Amino acid sequence: LGALWHGLTLVREHRGDGHNAALTAEGIDGCAAHVLAAATGGAPRDVTQPARGWSDDDWTASASALAQRGLVDGDGGATAAGRALHADIERRTDELAAAPWAGVDEASLELTVTTLARLAGRVAAAGTIRFPNPMGLPPPG
């Protein structure tokens, strides 16, 4: 279990680093990333903001900056450009996260995904992790 946890932590951190690189390349900082994610259907402000420690002023400033770029509207929803940018960042994140899996054959990859999905379902069923959550994870399934 310790080796599995460690390995998954490494993969998660690698993916997070790529995600941060994709966001930074688009001029999106931490707070703005969550404002944009909330605008596109991710974890809502009332979940993310308190967990991340941003003030109302921080959130408002990020929303305003995104609005000036035409990425969110006055109601906090994503514009077409905002949805497109969010999708592009997620696509780029997936591309950057693929390298550790390049040497894994399809059967092993499928077994890994199936096994981890079953474990994730058990963890979710225990009720210890809320959905939506500040990381933006959807419930497994």
Side-chain angles (χ1 to χ4, degrees):
L1 181 61
L4 175 63
W5 186 268
H6 179 70
L8 292 174
T9 297
L10 293 174
V11 170
R12 180 184 50 82
E13 289 294 324
H14 179 267
R15 180 178 179 78
D17 290 347
H19 190 60
N20 287 336
L23 288 163
T24 299
E26 295 297 338
I28 305 289
D29 68 15
C31 187
H34 287 280
V35 172
L36 184 59
T40 58
R45 178 181 182 167
D46 65 335
V47 170
T48 304
Q49 183 182 351
R52 298 293 182 164
W54 292 304
S55 69
D56 287 337
D57 289 343
D58 295 333
W59 194 274
T60 299
S62 290
S64 177
L66 291 173
Q68 288 174 357
R69 290 179 60 181
L71 302 174
V72 298
D73 60 30
D75 295 325
T79 63
R83 287 188 298 279
L85 178 61
H86 185 263
D88 189 56
I89 290 168
E90 294 301 322
R91 179 195 54 76
R92 185 69 181 129
T93 299
D94 289 346
E95 289 172 357
L96 293 169
W101 301 103
V104 180
D105 65 86
E106 283 296 318
S108 296
L109 186 57
E110 182 62 32
L111 177 61
T112 301
V113 169
T114 301
T115 302
L116 293 175
R118 194 172 63 247
L119 291 172
R122 289 180 182 166
V123 169
T128 57
I129 298 176
R130 69 180 180 192
F131 298 99
N133 60 52
M135 284 185 61
L137 294 175

